[in-house]
Structures are given as C-alpha cells and as structure tokens.
Amino acid sequence: MQKEFTTPATPAGLIVLSLRLVTGWTYFSAFWRRLVLENKLDPDAPGYIGEKFNHFLPQALGIKPIIQYLVSHPDLLHRSMWVFTIAEAIAGLCFMFGLMTRWMSVLVVSLAAGILLGAGWLGTTCLDEWQIGVLGIAAGFTVFVAGGGPVSLDHIFGRGRRFFYRQSIPLQNKKLVITGAIVITFLTLFTNQYFHGGVWGTLHNGSIRPVLEISNARIQKGELVFEIQRTEGADVYGSFLIGVQIENDKGEIVFSKTGAGLSAASIVNSYVAKVKGSKYSLVIPLGAKAVLRFKDVWMPRGNYVLRLIDVSGLEWTATIDK
C-alpha cells in the first residue's frame, strides 16, 4: 500500500514575499532617487523628472492627451510629479512592510499601468519601460490575490481587526485568479505588439534613431518659420541639428544656417522639454516641440524645400509655402 505524505500548506503571502519586497523597493526607490540621492523634482535642475515625463509623449498609448496637457502647463506638471512621487513612496513602503497590502496592490497596478501606457515604447536595448510596466502589473495582481501573509504588518495588526486581517489572507477565488491572469497576459501581448512588433511581423523600436516631424514650414515677411517635434529616438540625449537649409526646385541651396549660425533662431517652445541652441547645434530632446524663426530670408516666389540635417547624417525635408 502506497504511503501518503502530507505537509502543512505554506501561506500564499509567504510564497510571494520576495516579490512583494522587490516590487515595493522598485517603487519606493523612485522617491529615494528623486529626493534623497538627488533633487529631481526641481524644475530648474538637470534631470528634472518633468522632462522625463515629457519624453513619454510622442507614442504614448491611450493617455497621450493627459501627458500633453500636463507638459503644456509646467506648474500643474510640477505638482503632479510631486503627487506621483509621494504615491510611489507610499505604495512601495507599504508594499514592503505589508501594510494595507491589498489596497497598495491596486495602487501598484495603477502606477505600473501608467508606466506601461506612457513609456512602454521606450528602451534602446531591452524594452526597459515595457518590461517594468507589465511585470509591475503582474506583481501587483499576484500580491493582491495572495495578501500580505504572515510576514506583514497586516498580519500583526489583524488580530481582532477585520480590516487588516482581510489584507493578510489570500483570496479563495479561482475565477478571479484565472480571469486576471488572462487579462494581464492579453495586455502583455497586445502592448508588446503595439509598441515593438514583438509578437508577429517586423520588429520596431522607437528609441533607436531620432525622428523630427516638420510642419507649417513657410516664408513670410522675410522670415523662415516652421514647427518641429521630435517623436522618436533615445530619451537620454537629444537630437543634434547641425544644419538648416532651403533648396530651390533645381536643388540649389539658397539659404543655409550651420553650427553657431543656428543660435540666431528665435525659438518658442511648447513643452517643458525644450529645444535649445548650443555652440555647434540645436539640441532637440525627445518629445520637444517648438516653432523656429530665422530672419532675413528674402527670395522670389517659387517651389522650395526645407531640409534639416542631424549630426548623425539623418535628414528631414518639408515643402515650404511661399
């Protein structure tokens, strides 16, 4: 007769303890980096988190209007960055200590979803932001189901207090677990395909090379006026525009500005990530949008093309209204 062996069941919250601790630190560390190690909430300091938020804008999924509104209103953006940072600090710290675990799981899922939808398209090598987003959602949901377990403040405070007790015990609901797993898996595959073509077809990565979009190019009253927006490329450094020129219908260059001459442009920025002049180029960070004006551009009526030249050798063109 075969002997049966039985062992006490290990609480689900204890099984996912390492997941809770690591996920909690990833969110608390956002606060730690921005306020303790460096002050990245200062709008005038290098590395201001609001500019990083601006980088999300060009290819954000679903929440692009929200991002655009915030980066167009610097004061509101600054307050929002404080709110987000404090929310990450609270969620991360409570997650690690297992305090109000289930409520914090909902906050973690929400924060991770924001990262996924806003920045899931970024990542020069390993699809960094997309991985952070989907793994954060999966981790938050897993801990939501498992509860805080015996190694949590909820377990300590739960003695005689129903609210905290309910935060520490697992949910006995197979339908919820299976449905949640299916939804999160679908979201993972959908966003992987949408942002990177990672499920089928051709792979693409919007962080590899800069792309500038030119609009409303025209010559009026002796001025060359056009609007540019950088929509792709690495978020850690700008596109370096080293040449602006106008060509006639014969391909001849009839106007040109290079190097230090580019600093003569009048620049009106739309967002907190700003187009700026430097000694040798115009620096265009990811997500930046601006109207540029060059004076003393006089030429007869005709067909003209505006050409922008990047230090990498990339070029972008647009027809000029004249």
Side-chain angles (χ1 to χ4, degrees), residues 16 20 52 54 61 83 129 159 224 235 256 278 305 314:
V16 301
R20 200 186 81 213
K52 174 71 174 178
N54 198 156
L61 174 61
V83 171
E129 306 291 351
R159 297 167 185 171
L224 168 64
D235 56 324
S256 178
S278 68
V305 172
L314 292 171

Side-chain angles (χ1 to χ4, degrees), residues 2-294:
Q2 186 176 2
K3 185 176 181 180
E4 294 183 0
F5 294 91
T6 60
T7 57
T10 303
L14 186 59
I15 294 173
V16 301
L17 177 60
S18 61
L19 184 64
R20 200 186 81 213
L21 293 173
V22 172
T23 304
W25 173 253
T26 62
Y27 286 92
F28 181 76
S29 67
F31 161 82
W32 192 256
R33 293 192 313 272
R34 292 173 202 161
L35 282 177
V36 179
L37 302 182
E38 292 184 58
N39 185 4
K40 293 187 176 183
L41 287 171
D42 180 358
D44 299 320
Y48 171 47
I49 190 62
E51 291 188 23
K52 174 71 174 178
F53 192 69
N54 198 156
H55 297 162
F56 300 169
L57 176 63
Q59 299 182 45
L61 174 61
I63 61 173
K64 188 172 181 177
I66 298 173
I67 297 175
Q68 186 173 30
Y69 184 81
L70 289 175
V71 298
S72 301
H73 298 80
D75 291 340
L76 180 59
L77 175 66
H78 187 222
R79 290 194 292 270
S80 298
M81 292 300 98
W82 271 98
V83 171
F84 293 154
T85 300
I86 292 171
E88 287 176 314
I90 293 172
L93 198 62
C94 289
F95 221 55
M96 286 189 288
F97 284 98
L99 179 63
M100 296 187 294
T101 308
R102 203 152 270 135
W103 285 99
M104 292 302 107
S105 298
V106 174
L107 183 53
V108 164
V109 169
S110 301
L111 292 170
I115 293 172
L116 175 63
L117 297 178
W121 64 281
L122 291 170
T124 55
T125 55
C126 298
L127 315 185
D128 309 340
E129 306 291 351
W130 174 78
Q131 291 177 341
I132 292 171
V134 294
L135 290 174
I137 291 173
F141 177 73
T142 300
V143 175
F144 177 84
V145 173
V151 185
S152 67
L153 291 180
D154 286 331
H155 180 73
I156 296 173
F157 296 155
R159 297 167 185 171
R161 297 179 179 87
R162 185 173 179 82
F163 173 79
F164 290 106
Y165 172 73
R166 290 171 65 88
Q167 304 285 312
S168 66
I169 61 173
L171 297 176
Q172 304 296 329
N173 190 324
K174 291 183 179 179
K175 288 184 178 180
L176 173 65
V177 174
I178 294 172
T179 301
I182 292 173
V183 170
I184 293 171
T185 301
F186 172 80
L187 180 63
T188 299
L189 296 176
F190 171 74
T191 52
N192 191 206
Q193 176 63 28
Y194 181 86
F195 289 131
H196 305 288
V199 181
W200 70 81
T202 304
L203 286 169
H204 54 268
N205 190 336
S207 298
I208 296 299
R209 59 183 61 84
V211 171
L212 297 184
E213 294 183 356
I214 310 170
S215 58
N216 300 321
R218 60 197 184 276
I219 298 174
Q220 59 181 28
K221 297 180 180 180
E223 281 191 327
L224 168 64
V225 184
F226 60 94
E227 184 176 76
I228 56 172
Q229 182 172 13
R230 183 172 160 214
T231 58
E232 291 187 22
D235 56 324
V236 292
Y237 56 85
S239 169
F240 300 96
L241 198 65
I242 60 171
V244 174
Q245 62 189 41
I246 299 174
E247 301 169 3
N248 61 20
D249 53 5
K250 297 179 181 179
E252 299 169 333
I253 299 174
V254 294
F255 172 84
S256 178
K257 288 289 184 181
T258 59
L262 293 169
S263 62
S266 168
I267 304 172
V268 178
N269 286 286
S270 299
Y271 307 138
V272 294
K274 301 183 184 302
V275 178
K276 297 179 181 179
S278 68
K279 186 175 181 180
Y280 300 108
S281 67
L282 289 178
V283 183
I284 309 173
L286 182 60
K289 182 179 180 181
V291 174
L292 274 62
R293 294 175 178 268
F294 290 90

Side-chain angles (χ1 to χ4, degrees), residues 307-319:
R307 186 180 301 275
L308 307 183
I309 305 170
D310 188 76
V311 69
S312 65
L314 292 171
E315 298 182 358
W316 303 276
T317 60
T319 301

